[in-house]
Amino acid sequence: MQPEDQVDRPEQGPPQQVRIVHLTAPVFRALADGDLAAANAASPVPLSAYFAGPEWRGTWRRRSRQVEEDPASAAWVTGVVWDERQRVAVGRAGYHGPPDPSGMVEIGYAVDPAYRRRGYARAALEFLLERAAHEPRVRTVRVTISPDNVASRTLALQYGFAEVGEQWDDEDGLEVIYEVDAGSR
């Protein structure tokens, strides 16, 4: 997860009900270009201006290239965190790609600042862990977190993630690698 990704701590109330809505290559391209009108014309759900803003364009560029090279990866990569109750897009979440040959998937998520601290990061993480638990090819779920992102680390540890190493990411800098067995849920 990127340094700006913060864990949501929900106020009083029921847990959030979200699903991850997968996007297509045209939506990824439009978001990468910052073209909200074109993205919304092709998206299965309405997107806010934040989705086409500068903070997330790098992610959309990576996913656009990835889906162009491997169209089947669209079912795995970053999609829209969709609030089922409010019927609104509140963030992005998904895997970095399909399972690798060892059965590992890496997850990532970010919540639009307008919707933070309402439980959406937790709900997205639970959704992704639940999917991984039901995917026969997935054995391990990984998340990488900046050492100074205490909130994300705290959330990951609550779901059984254990530190297994470190890596340097050219975009995000130093990241601590955490993994959990996909079947542990």
Side-chain angles (χ1 to χ4, degrees):
M1 290 176 291
Q2 296 180 8
E4 73 269 7
D5 297 342
Q6 295 296 311
V7 173
D8 300 333
R9 299 236 190 309
E11 306 297 328
Q12 297 294 329
Q16 298 296 349
Q17 292 182 345
V18 302
R19 68 183 168 99
I20 308 301
V21 177
H22 295 288
L23 301 175
T24 61
V27 180
F28 286 130
R29 275 192 303 278
L31 290 172
D33 292 340
D35 187 343
L36 182 61
N40 273 320
S43 176
V45 295
L47 305 171
S48 71
Y50 194 76
F51 280 79
E55 282 190 50
W56 290 356
R57 283 199 195 137
T59 297
W60 303 132
R61 278 192 290 274
R62 276 191 306 280
R63 300 304 172 233
S64 178
R65 285 190 302 269
Q66 187 175 5
V67 169
E68 286 173 12
E69 292 171 9
D70 176 18
S73 69
W76 288 92
V77 299
T78 310
V80 175
V81 179
W82 180 253
D83 180 316
E84 293 285 6
R85 288 186 188 117
Q86 293 186 42
R87 309 216 31 87
V88 65
V90 298
R92 61 176 166 85
Y95 306 100
H96 290 204
D100 71 9
S102 71
M104 189 274 296
V105 291
E106 183 173 343
I107 62 173
Y109 52 86
V111 176
D112 179 331
Y115 294 98
R116 289 185 182 157
R117 302 192 53 76
R118 299 184 195 178
Y120 290 114
R122 179 179 300 278
L125 177 61
E126 288 179 357
F127 185 96
L128 294 168
L129 287 170
E130 189 67 25
R131 177 178 176 195
H134 289 93
E135 290 283 350
R137 295 186 316 162
V138 177
R139 292 194 290 282
T140 304
V141 180
R142 172 180 288 179
V143 63
T144 57
I145 303 171
S146 170
D148 62 346
N149 192 336
V150 176
S152 286
R153 180 178 62 244
T154 300
L155 179 62
L157 294 175
Q158 291 173 13
Y159 288 88
F161 283 89
E163 184 176 335
V164 297
E166 294 180 345
Q167 69 182 19
W168 182 262
D169 183 274
D170 288 336
E171 189 171 309
D172 298 326
L174 180 64
E175 298 176 326
V176 180
I177 303 167
Y178 297 88
E179 293 182 348
V180 68
D181 183 297
S184 66
R185 291 186 49 92

